[in-house]
């Protein structure tokens, strides 16, 4: 029974029963590749390719008239993308806009929401966040005359992998002016209890912002229901917008009146933007935080990509994602934990506490094992010193793909294949 449960045949049967399996045909999966890196750069869909081609064609046919006459008009492109993604995150359409990049959007929103006073000037964050978020917070502290070291509280992890929500809550003191946290830890893949953290911050009247780069497009969110103050996320990971695609920002409608701290003409009240007056009148919604002309060519693939999400529904994708990651954990436990394999799963086992990727921990050999995986056509990613991250994205990954990745790992270790690679790391892994 358990033999069959972990067989390739069983995985193939699951794929056959899977109503989402045909979606894979709507993606360009690189030939002979098991792509497990959609948490870093999602794949190109045919829809995204078409929406990009449409923008090029409108430019060709319409020139400047494309701003109003293209479909959709470029003037409202960022808002249209915001509308499409709002449904994925539990927000109203006017609370979300596509703009900038994740780090830029942290700057844009933190400069509005961080209002330090003499007795309340600390920012509360965590020691496991992606470094760029911390660089942005430190420079915002410095810009506001606070101390980038002393006034940044970084909640530490107890086990080096995960955060305990109680530890974060315990640090929400009277001296904290802003809480800024990731929804999902980029290394271990832990999904924080966002509802609980939002409630705790609200009870203490501290504004809370989230970086949802590793969760939007993988799991559902309820930004409005949780009463998050603001959020940012990335367009090129699970949303498949392409390398350097625009990011998104969310502003809870309670704060529309706040207005941007860093103004630019694309944040002007839309109906009067082209009156070109010198006094700034912000658009009274999330769009007010835009600064410059949206990069339509860079944004275009997102339109086609987001249509798939709207069509399938994030709850359906989330369910399959959790089945795939759960299956991966099960296979690792069954086949890869004992000597000589010695892998361990660093991601929480409770499906509600994880997003779309699984962190496989090993020793420092993880880097060379990653190279051996690549040589076999698997695309994982590696995070030093000892992590291989695998993201079985439900849009284009099946159960048999997950089985094959685990089989490759078994064969690599059996044949000591990783030992033939240079242990020195290259720049991008
Ligand atoms: C991917 C990611 C980013 C990306 O930042 P860019 O400014 O868009 O390059 C930032 N923060 C987190 C937590 C991420 O996961």
């Amino acid at each position: 029974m358990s033999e069959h449960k972990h067989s390739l045949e069983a995985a193939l049967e699951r794929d056959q029963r899977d109503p989402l399996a045909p979606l894979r045909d709507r993606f360009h999966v690189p030939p002979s590749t098991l792509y497990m890196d959609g948490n870093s750069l999602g794949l190109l869909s045919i829809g995204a390719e078409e929406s990009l081609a449409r923008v090029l064609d409108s430019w060709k046919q319409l020139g400047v008239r494309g701003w109003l006459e293209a479909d959709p008009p470029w003037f409202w492109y960022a808002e249209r993308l915001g509308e499409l993604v709002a449904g994925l995150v539990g927000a109203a359409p006017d609370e979300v806009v596509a703009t900038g990049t994740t780090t830029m959007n942290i700057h844009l929103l933190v400069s509005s929401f961080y209002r330090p006073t003499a007795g309340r000037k600390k920012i509360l964050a965590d020691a496991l966040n992606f470094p760029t978020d911390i660089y942005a917070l430190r420079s915002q502290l410095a810009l506001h005359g606070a101390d980038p070291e002393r006034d940044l509280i970084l909640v530490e992890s107890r086990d080096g992998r995960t955060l305990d929500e109680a530890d974060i809550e315990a640090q929400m003191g009277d001296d904290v002016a802003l809480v800024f946290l990731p929804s999902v830890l980029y290394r271990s893949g832990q999904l924080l209890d966002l509802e609980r953290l939002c409630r705790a911050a609200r009870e203490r009247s501290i504004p809370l912002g989230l970086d949802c780069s590793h969760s939007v497009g993988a799991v559902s969110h309820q930004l409005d229901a949780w009463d998050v103050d603001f959020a940012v996320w990335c367009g090129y990971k699970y949303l498949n917008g392409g390398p350097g695609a625009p990011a998104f920002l969310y502003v809870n409608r309670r704060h529309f009146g706040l207005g941007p701290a860093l103004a630019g003409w694309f944040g002007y009240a839309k109906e009067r933007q082209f009156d070109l007056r010198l006094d700034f009148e912000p658009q009274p919604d999330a769009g007010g935080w835009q600064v410059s002309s949206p990069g339509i060519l860079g944004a275009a693939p997102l339109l086609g990509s987001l249509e798939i999400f709207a069509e399938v529904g994030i709850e359906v994708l989330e369910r399959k994602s959790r089945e795939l990651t759960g299956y991966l954990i099960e296979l690792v436990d069954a086949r890869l934990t004992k000597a000589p394999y010695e892998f361990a799963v660093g991601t929480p086992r409770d499906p509600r506490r994880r997003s779309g990727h699984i962190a496989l921990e090993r020793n420092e050999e993880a880097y060379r094992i990653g190279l051996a995986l690549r040589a076999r056509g698997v695309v994982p990613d590696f995070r030093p010193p000892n992590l291989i991250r695998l993201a079985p994205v439900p849009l284009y990954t099946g159960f048999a793909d997950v089985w094959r990745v685990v089989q490759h790992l078994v064969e690599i270790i059996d044949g000591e294949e990783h030992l033939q690679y240079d242990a020195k790391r290259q720049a991008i892994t």
Side-chain angles (χ1 to χ4, degrees):
M1 168 63 203
S2 87
E3 282 298 293
H4 177 70
K5 201 171 141 208
H6 296 143
S7 69
L8 175 60
E9 291 66 37
L12 289 166
E13 280 163 24
R14 275 182 98 165
D15 284 336
Q16 238 154 34
R17 289 195 307 267
D18 173 16
L20 300 188
L23 289 173
R24 179 188 170 87
D25 297 335
R26 293 164 65 175
F27 283 84
H28 294 282
V29 181
S32 317
T33 297
L34 289 166
Y35 195 79
M36 294 285 145
D37 209 6
N39 56 323
S40 215
L41 181 70
L43 290 180
L44 173 65
S45 62
I46 291 165
E49 191 175 30
E50 287 172 357
S51 55
L52 175 58
R54 267 205 309 281
V55 165
L56 283 173
D57 193 57
S58 313
W59 181 20
K60 200 187 285 176
Q61 306 290 339
L62 299 171
V64 72
R65 282 162 46 214
W67 284 102
L68 293 177
E69 293 173 30
D71 178 26
W74 305 336
F75 188 59
W76 285 281
Y77 215 91
E79 287 78 6
R80 174 72 192 125
L81 292 174
E83 226 171 272
L84 278 170
V85 91
L88 300 186
V89 296
D94 58 351
E95 290 175 313
V96 184
V97 72
T99 190
T101 56
T102 307
T103 315
M104 276 306 306
N105 292 350
I106 296 173
H107 280 296
L108 287 173
L109 292 176
V110 169
S111 39
S112 285
F113 283 86
Y114 176 52
R115 299 286 172 90
T117 58
R120 196 191 257 268
K121 62 177 174 184
K122 292 190 189 293
I123 295 182
L124 176 60
D126 70 282
L128 296 183
N129 204 338
F130 194 64
T132 193
D133 294 38
I134 302 301
Y135 306 153
L137 295 177
R138 284 217 169 96
S139 59
Q140 284 291 329
L141 284 162
L143 203 57
H144 285 81
D147 185 320
E149 300 299 324
R150 212 184 42 234
D151 293 324
L152 182 64
I153 307 172
L154 293 178
V155 177
E156 294 289 337
S157 164
R158 290 169 188 242
D159 61 3
R161 299 180 182 93
T162 57
L163 293 169
D164 187 329
E165 285 82 2
D167 291 343
I168 302 174
E169 282 177 14
Q171 300 267 20
M172 292 182 184
D174 292 340
D175 51 353
V176 174
L178 178 73
V179 180
F180 189 78
L181 295 167
S183 54
V184 168
L185 302 180
Y186 78 102
R187 291 174 59 90
S188 69
Q190 180 196 12
L191 173 61
L192 294 174
D193 185 342
L194 301 173
E195 184 174 11
R196 170 178 170 178
L197 291 167
C198 291
R199 194 181 323 120
R202 178 73 45 251
E203 280 165 10
R204 295 161 177 80
S205 302
I206 311 171
L208 177 141
L210 292 176
D211 185 331
C212 299
S213 289
H214 276 280
S215 56
V216 173
V219 296
S220 56
H221 298 64
Q222 297 300 333
L223 297 181
D224 280 348
W226 300 334
D227 209 12
V228 178
D229 291 286
F230 68 94
V232 300
W233 59 91
C234 183
Y236 52 79
K237 291 174 179 149
Y238 294 106
L239 295 181
N240 309 319
F248 290 84
L249 62 79
Y250 159 91
V251 177
N252 188 303
R253 63 187 334 102
R254 285 188 291 121
H255 300 301
F256 282 175
L258 203 55
L262 302 171
W265 76 307
F266 260 79
Y268 204 93
K270 263 331 260 173
E271 302 304 319
R272 287 176 291 284
Q273 179 177 340
F274 276 87
D275 293 354
L276 299 173
R277 298 168 57 94
L278 288 186
D279 57 327
F280 182 70
E281 179 198 346
Q283 168 72 9
D285 59 29
W289 273 264
Q290 292 176 88
V291 177
S292 294
S293 315
I296 303 297
L297 287 173
L302 273 170
L303 191 72
S305 167
L306 289 173
E307 279 164 1
I308 301 184
F309 287 90
E311 188 186 314
V312 181
I314 188 64
E315 286 77 14
V316 174
L317 290 170
E318 171 177 336
R319 193 177 327 123
K320 180 173 170 189
S321 168
R322 291 200 163 127
E323 284 171 14
L324 286 165
T325 49
Y327 179 56
L328 177 54
I329 292 175
E330 204 179 297
L331 288 183
V332 169
D333 284 347
R335 303 189 63 198
L336 283 171
T337 48
K338 296 190 190 72
Y341 308 107
E342 292 170 338
F343 287 93
V345 173
T347 307
R349 280 155 190 279
D350 177 350
R352 291 163 306 175
R353 307 312 306 277
R354 64 174 186 256
S355 175
H357 81 264
I358 294 298
L360 274 191
E361 297 177 359
R362 201 159 185 282
N363 52 19
E364 63 284 355
E365 290 299 344
Y367 170 63
R368 295 204 282 180
I369 295 168
L371 294 181
L373 277 173
R374 277 176 190 259
R376 285 170 162 260
V378 182
V379 183
D381 88 358
F382 168 76
R383 287 291 173 264
N386 66 336
L387 272 195
I388 292 173
R389 297 188 308 179
L390 298 171
V393 170
L395 287 166
Y396 45 79
T397 311
F399 293 89
D401 296 325
V402 170
W403 189 92
R404 290 190 180 100
V405 170
V406 171
Q407 179 67 18
H408 281 302
L409 283 166
V410 168
E411 290 174 16
I412 287 166
I413 302 297
D414 283 349
E416 298 189 333
E417 277 174 34
H418 54 292
L419 299 182
Q420 49 187 298
Y421 296 92
D422 190 346
K424 214 168 96 232
R425 279 199 289 130
Q426 291 171 0
I428 297 182
T429 50

